[in-house]
Amino acid sequence: MAEKPIDESLEMEKTEVEAMKKIEAVLFVSGRFLGMKDLIMLSDMNPIIIRELVEKLKKSYEEKISALQILEKNGMWKMDVRPEFSHLTTKLATGSS
């Protein structure tokens, strides 16, 4: 099997990164768990690709230093603040400091 030209591989990676950013933005702004139907509607992407990108995004957040994480529950996903930082968001949400 012939390898893809470097330019074509880089273009595919760039497209995947842009698609992952789209999913990331949707999860960030929603503030709630989103199911596959929601993600399809909001991103206009194939469910197989969405699932793959969400898993990559979730792994990315697990591996980097971040106060954020991607949670999965009953086939739905949500971006949220890690539990060790939840006291900060509670203060902000309630208006107390």
Side-chain angles (χ1 to χ4, degrees), residues 7-93:
D7 288 345
E8 186 178 330
S9 294
L10 289 175
E11 189 60 36
M12 287 177 64
E13 285 180 27
K14 185 177 177 183
T15 302
E16 183 177 284
V17 168
E18 290 305 312
M20 195 178 313
K21 287 179 181 180
K22 190 185 252 189
I23 296 293
E24 182 180 35
V26 167
L27 291 172
F28 180 80
V29 172
S30 74
R32 63 183 174 87
F33 280 96
L34 296 174
M36 185 58 75
K37 286 183 181 181
D38 297 314
L39 292 174
I40 292 168
M41 183 182 71
L42 294 166
S43 69
D44 197 33
M45 284 190 251
N46 175 307
I48 295 168
I49 292 171
I50 290 172
R51 186 171 306 279
E52 182 181 310
L53 293 175
V54 169
E55 287 306 315
K56 286 183 179 183
L57 191 59
K58 185 177 178 184
K59 185 176 180 181
S60 169
Y61 273 94
E62 289 169 358
E63 293 174 349
K64 67 182 173 181
I65 298 171
S66 177
L68 301 176
Q69 63 182 343
I70 306 292
L71 300 173
E72 183 176 357
K73 181 174 149 183
N74 300 324
M76 300 175 80
W77 299 272
K78 174 185 177 185
M79 181 179 282
D80 208 348
V81 175
R82 293 186 186 278
E84 60 266 31
F85 299 105
S86 62
H87 66 284
L88 299 171
T89 57
T90 302
K91 283 183 183 180
L92 185 62

